[in-house]
Amino acid sequence: MSVYRSAAGRRVLEACYEDALARLDVDVTERFVDTWAGETHVLCAGPTDGQPVIVFHGGNATNPMTLSWYADLADEYRLIAPDTIGQPGYSAETRPDPRGEGYGAWVVDLLDAFELASAPMIGTSYGAGIVLRTAARAPDRIDRAGLVVPAGFGTGSISTMAKIGLCSIAYRYVPSDRLLDRVLASIVTDPDADPVVRETVAASLRHVELEREFPTASADELADFDAPVALSLGEEDPFFPPDVIEPRASDRLESADRVGILPGEKHVLSKRGQKRVADSIRSFLSV
């Protein structure tokens, strides 16, 4: 099944992707690598001799939109950011079982393609769940993990998720600015600050077969994973609120000993929140 609801919808998402890519504050190169799931499109930024860091983007969104959060790190690190398979972008449309072995095997293939025995990883939202699936399958391939507004440990209340979901469904069939504003106000800290976010969320709601399950891993699956983990949680994130995520992450990851709560931040961080996270991850990577 296609990621997109129509060929026209694919073109809309590709336009959003290219717009976000053009607005990045760093130079980016692009390449394709082979994986078990098919070709994977990868964005690379930063010095070629810099320490590699793998960056996984959020679900139902585009890679460059999330990569912009970490652009400041490209002055020192070699950021390797794949378009997640089965998500909007230019990678294969294969959509693995979120609780199966597919994502972990895909990440191993990516590391092998870049000739990396292991690397630090940053996972944002859905991307954090991909890091967890990798930790379950190949724990020795992750040097340390920064998990930002992370999926993989549960979600907010049913009532909150239902309210956002109903507005999102309504917008798909009645694409009015009023409905879009309601969705954005729920999930985006500063909904008027970045046109890329507005355009991408709107396009995804209308044109993408949305992924509704999140990758996760149990404590038993993560028993052999002992790399350092840092969590960055949005204080007002409706999807993954700190009071749900922090205790569950601590139960499953003994090495999750750095937790930062981002005051006033929802799921999509403000520019201020993005900078705070990038600075925190820089410190975390340098330890």
Side-chain angles (χ1 to χ4, degrees):
M1 184 177 72
S2 176
V3 171
Y4 307 97
R5 301 182 72 206
S6 68
R10 176 196 292 271
R11 291 192 292 272
V12 172
L13 265 297
E14 288 176 352
C16 289
Y17 188 109
E18 296 301 326
D19 185 32
L21 188 60
R23 291 172 183 263
L24 283 175
D25 291 332
V26 293
D27 292 330
V28 173
T29 60
E30 305 176 58
R31 63 175 284 192
F32 283 90
V33 300
D34 290 327
T35 73
W36 76 266
E39 281 195 325
T40 293
H41 179 251
V42 184
L43 302 177
C44 298
T48 57
D49 60 349
Q51 179 184 359
V53 178
I54 316 299
V55 183
F56 298 103
H57 65 88
N60 302 316
T62 66
N63 184 8
M65 189 183 95
T66 302
L67 183 58
S68 67
W69 295 19
Y70 311 106
D72 286 352
L73 298 176
D75 65 346
E76 180 178 358
Y77 296 96
R78 182 64 169 172
L79 304 182
I80 299 172
D83 294 2
T84 298
I85 50 174
Q87 296 292 327
Y90 296 111
S91 291
E93 295 188 47
T94 308
R95 188 168 271 181
D97 177 353
R99 299 172 186 269
E101 296 293 316
Y103 277 126
W106 174 66
V107 175
V108 168
D109 285 350
L110 287 169
L111 292 171
D112 290 346
F114 283 89
E115 300 182 339
L116 297 172
S118 62
M121 298 184 184
I122 300 171
T124 303
S125 188
Y126 194 93
I130 292 174
V131 175
L132 293 178
R133 290 310 315 161
T134 306
R137 179 182 175 89
D140 58 322
R141 305 299 294 267
I142 304 175
D143 291 337
R144 54 185 54 228
L147 308 181
V148 181
V149 291
F153 301 106
T155 63
S157 69
I158 293 175
S159 61
T160 297
M161 299 294 284
K163 288 177 183 177
I164 298 171
L166 288 173
C167 284
S168 299
I169 292 169
Y171 178 75
R172 167 165 289 191
Y173 296 103
V174 185
S176 72
D177 284 343
R178 183 179 63 83
L179 285 170
L180 180 59
D181 288 343
R182 289 180 65 181
V183 175
L184 293 173
S186 298
I187 65 175
V188 181
T189 307
D190 191 355
D192 297 322
D194 188 348
V196 166
V197 171
R198 185 180 184 88
E199 292 164 5
T200 303
V201 171
S204 182
L205 292 179
R206 292 196 64 198
H207 301 298
V208 173
E209 294 292 352
L210 300 177
E211 175 66 90
R212 292 180 172 83
E213 292 186 73
F214 302 109
T216 187
S218 67
D220 287 345
E221 289 179 298
L222 296 169
D224 293 330
F225 179 66
D226 59 4
V229 176
L231 300 174
S232 297
L233 310 176
E235 181 185 34
E236 299 177 13
D237 187 343
F239 291 151
F240 312 120
D243 62 339
V244 172
I245 303 308
E246 184 174 0
R248 293 186 184 182
S250 297
D251 286 344
R252 298 184 204 176
L253 298 167
E254 293 185 4
S255 56
D257 56 0
R258 290 178 57 144
V259 180
I261 308 297
L262 303 167
E265 296 289 337
K266 298 180 182 178
H267 188 63
V268 179
L269 304 182
S270 66
K271 294 296 184 183
R272 180 182 63 256
Q274 293 169 26
K275 186 177 189 312
R276 181 170 176 177
V277 166
D279 289 345
S280 175
I281 288 178
R282 186 189 297 276
S283 174
F284 176 61
L285 292 175
S286 67
V287 173

